[in-house]
Amino acid sequence: MASPTLERLETLIVDLPTIRPHKLAMHTMHGQTLVILKLHCSDGIVGLGEATTIGGLSYAGESPESIKTNLDTWIAPVLIGQDATNLNALMQRIDRSVRGNTFARSAVETALLDAQGKRLGLPVAELLGGRVRDGVECAWTLASGDTGKDIDEAELMLDLRRHRHFKLKIGSRSPAQDVAHVAAIKRALGERASVRVDVNQAWSEAVAIKAVRDLAAAGVELVEQPLPRHDRLGMARLNAHSPIPLMADEAIESVADAFALAQAGVAPIFALKIAKTGGPKAVLRAAAIAEAAGIGLYGGTMLEGSIGTLASAHAFATLDRLEWHTELFGPLLLTEDILIDPPQYRDFQLLVPTTPGLGVQLDEERLARFARR
Ligand code: MUC
Ligand code: MG
């Protein structure tokens, strides 16, 4: 019997409100924009994927609009008419004609895995070799911009047993103000929760040398991407003198970056993101490089909606050690979900679906309501 082929790629930009403003060093979010991909196959199966970034072009080199355009204009023609069941062959076809664009690629890889999982009756984690955990522990980001509100929010998350690791977004105020804000939150939470910070590239090495020491003294356990992404030498020097570990996030924009960073000893922890490396299968290549180099793993997010979040969860559930856990809380930052059954968070974990593919079903009515016209 002939294999099913890819017939059509349908892409939608979906604008969803957030539960509160989310303040990062480079941008304050008042909503989130998802790019949703529906991959229509000749056997009637529709694979779902998502490519989502933060703050238009302020975080990474792809915007929702460029992702949609590049999927529609450049990636779809490479895929249409091809065997829908051979993910390796299809991704290699994209490799040969598309540079960069890992966010757009991630949507395609996710949708291919979802379609093939549905076809074979296997969840994506099992297609990727098999889960070694049923759920992934999930940090919450405190980023309201207000210390008191952040403490109240953290207390609520602890009461709900939803999160016990908190990431604080800093870098937009002076280091002294940031340290005071972080110290007040850690003091209020004590040993009941861990506190990490994400500087999103906002500091110079000279500023960071003192700030990481002050953060360590305040009880912070790790500092994510304090320096600009290209300053690998600065990160390596800072890490060598920091009392707490650094984590590389924006510095990794590809699997090749993961290798270069591991080789140069830039940071002892990597934030893995399906969007930065090109999908749930591609991110495992970056994870393998990190594992071989003795680098700790963290399951990162681009604040995706439910599809991208669960695609990440399926991949991260297959990793041997995920000692810094994940931050797959994106859907919880949104007031609306485009799935019929939103992801389940319980006992500090996001549960990894056990039904075929990603284990998701679109709420078409809601999708149509929030899709950009
Ligand atoms: C980032 O830089 O890690 C992850 C959580 C959050 O609040 O922002 C993102 C992006
Ligand atoms: Mg980060």
Side-chain angles (χ1 to χ4, degrees), residues 59 167 169 198-200 224-225 247 249-250 271 273 298 301 327:
Y59 192 102
K167 169 159 137 174
K169 289 291 197 182
D198 189 353
V199 193
N200 284 118
E224 181 173 343
Q225 198 66 51
M247 177 155 78
D249 181 11
E250 288 93 324
K273 295 183 182 175
Y298 178 69
T301 179
E327 55 180 10

Side-chain angles (χ1 to χ4, degrees), residues 2 8 13-14 36 53 70 94 103 108 113 135 195 203 231 253 265-266 274 283 294-295 335 349 351 356:
R8 188 163 63 91
I13 295 184
V14 181
I36 301 299
T53 186
N70 289 335
I94 296 178
F103 287 64
V108 173
L113 286 165
V195 169
W203 291 341
D231 191 3
E253 284 190 348
V266 167
I274 62 170
V283 80
I295 290 166
T335 61
Q349 307 240 332
L351 303 184

Side-chain angles (χ1 to χ4, degrees), residues 281-339:
K281 191 159 180 286
V283 80
L284 298 181
R285 292 161 61 201
I289 290 167
E291 280 170 335
I295 290 166
L297 300 181
Y298 178 69
T301 179
M302 285 306 297
L303 301 176
E304 288 98 343
S306 295
I307 294 174
T309 295
L310 289 174
S312 306
H314 277 281
F316 299 153
T318 69
L319 292 168
D320 180 15
R321 296 181 65 186
L322 197 51
E323 53 184 326
W324 298 91
H325 311 292
T326 77
E327 55 180 10
L328 295 178
F329 69 89
L332 300 171
L333 192 62
L334 305 173
T335 61
E336 308 282 336
D337 207 300
I338 54 166
L339 299 186

